[in-house]
């Protein structure tokens, strides 16, 4: 059966607007102390559910190499344990560096996440597969540099406003972090501050454009709702 109207395809970028949301739960005393220990230290922040595709295994292997070599850098994880992660969760919780050079905030409030975006040195995004990569936008809003895996979607979102690494071995990531820290010390890493991003209101407007305005040949106007 031939369609009367062709299928139209579109896309929209996710928004980021933590600052305008109502902070949830604040910070516990323990979290406050952990943030204090991160002040002034070199640290890599990973934001996202702990699951196999997010690259936590390679990351921890890489940091163990860095710590063994004497590198003074901390690893900060924000995200709940996901599926197929019991061994990884146990590894993190029982790690000899947990609470020293390794910090895992399993349930972070918006307020805590904002604090970490301001005190940590770089957003590290080792994910092996993503649909978008919202932490990149959140980092940009806080002026935080970004080091991420060289994925097409990250190139689309961050472009020349981030640093990239390749390889799936611990040595690959450890070398990339060491190189990035040297460039950061010299002030030559890409800045994320001028990255293009939307807040959630703008993102919702774009979604409406894609889902309604384009499909209804211009008949949609703001304030109009369609039910399917």
């Amino acid at each position: 059966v031939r369609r009367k109207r062709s299928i139209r395809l579109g896309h929209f970028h996710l928004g980021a607007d933590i600052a305008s949301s109502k902070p949830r739960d604040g910070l516990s005393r323990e979290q406050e102390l952990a943030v204090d220990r991160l002040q002034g230290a070199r640290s890599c922040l990973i934001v996202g559910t702990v699951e196999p595709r997010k690259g936590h295994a390679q990351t921890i292997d890489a940091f163990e190499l860095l710590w063994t070599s004497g590198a003074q850098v901390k690893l900060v994880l924000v995200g709940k344990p996901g599926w197929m992660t019991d061994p990884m969760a146990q590894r993190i919780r029982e790690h000899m560096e947990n609470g020293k050079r390794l910090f895992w905030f399993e349930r972070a409030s918006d307020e805590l996440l904002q604090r970490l975006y301001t005190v940590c040195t770089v957003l590290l995004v080792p994910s092996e597969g993503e649909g978008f990569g919202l932490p990149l936008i959140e980092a940009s809003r806080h002026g935080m540099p970004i080091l991420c895996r060289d994925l097409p979607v990250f190139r689309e979102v961050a472009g020349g406003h981030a640093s990239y690494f390749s390889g799936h071995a611990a040595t690959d990531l450890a070398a990339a972090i060491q190189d990035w820290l040297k460039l950061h010390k010299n002030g030559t890493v890409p800045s994320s501050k001028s990255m293009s991003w939307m807040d959630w209101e703008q993102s919702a407007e774009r979604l409406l454009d894609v889902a309604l305005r384009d499909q209804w040949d211009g008949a949609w106007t703001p304030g109009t709702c369609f039910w399917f």
Side-chain angles (χ1 to χ4, degrees):
V1 178
R2 179 173 297 181
R3 295 181 59 88
K4 293 182 179 180
R5 183 165 54 182
S6 62
I7 297 176
R8 298 182 182 181
L9 302 177
H11 74 280
F12 71 101
H13 278 199
L14 299 180
D17 202 9
I18 296 178
S20 66
S21 67
K22 184 177 180 180
R24 177 178 52 85
D25 298 332
L27 279 72
S28 67
R29 177 58 179 165
E30 182 181 2
Q31 291 171 340
E32 285 278 9
L33 292 173
V35 172
D36 287 344
R37 289 199 294 271
L38 292 169
Q39 293 279 1
R42 300 190 301 177
S43 56
C44 297
L45 172 67
I46 297 181
V47 179
T49 306
V50 177
E51 57 180 275
R53 70 182 174 92
K54 295 289 188 176
H56 291 86
Q58 181 192 12
T59 301
I60 293 179
D61 288 344
F63 270 82
E64 287 177 347
L65 292 177
L66 291 170
W67 293 329
T68 299
S69 70
Q72 297 301 311
V73 58
K74 301 179 187 294
L75 175 60
V76 183
L77 310 176
V78 174
K80 297 184 293 185
W83 45 94
M84 300 172 59
T85 58
D86 287 347
M88 175 56 63
Q90 182 178 1
R91 180 183 179 187
I92 297 172
R93 293 180 183 129
E94 297 179 357
H95 202 286
M96 62 182 300
E97 292 294 344
N98 190 17
K100 302 173 185 176
R101 290 186 287 189
L102 171 62
F103 298 85
W104 183 18
F105 299 96
E106 296 185 44
R107 289 173 174 79
S109 65
D110 290 342
E111 185 178 357
L112 172 57
L113 182 55
Q114 287 197 84
R115 289 278 298 276
L116 293 174
Y117 275 127
T118 60
V119 302
C120 292
T121 308
V122 58
L123 177 72
L124 177 61
V125 194
S127 182
E128 298 175 5
E130 285 291 341
F132 185 76
L134 187 57
L136 276 70
I137 305 299
E138 294 175 345
S140 173
R141 294 204 62 168
H142 288 83
M144 184 185 217
I146 300 166
L147 173 60
C148 56
R149 193 180 299 276
D150 197 354
L151 299 181
V153 67
F154 293 159
R155 289 281 184 178
E156 177 186 341
V157 172
H161 304 289
S163 302
Y164 299 88
F165 75 91
S166 301
H168 293 82
T171 52
D172 297 325
L173 181 52
I177 293 171
Q178 285 180 318
D179 291 342
W180 189 92
L181 290 173
K182 291 176 183 176
L183 294 175
H184 181 259
K185 184 177 181 179
N186 296 330
T188 55
V189 297
S191 172
S192 69
K193 293 181 180 180
S194 56
M195 185 191 303
S196 176
W197 50 266
M198 297 180 179
D199 60 27
W200 280 114
E201 182 176 356
Q202 294 168 323
S203 178
E205 283 288 332
R206 177 56 188 153
L207 173 58
L208 289 174
D209 282 343
V210 173
L212 299 179
R213 184 178 289 146
D214 291 347
Q215 296 293 330
W216 288 83
D217 299 322
W220 176 87
T221 56
T224 302
C225 293
F226 292 92
W227 296 90
F228 297 89

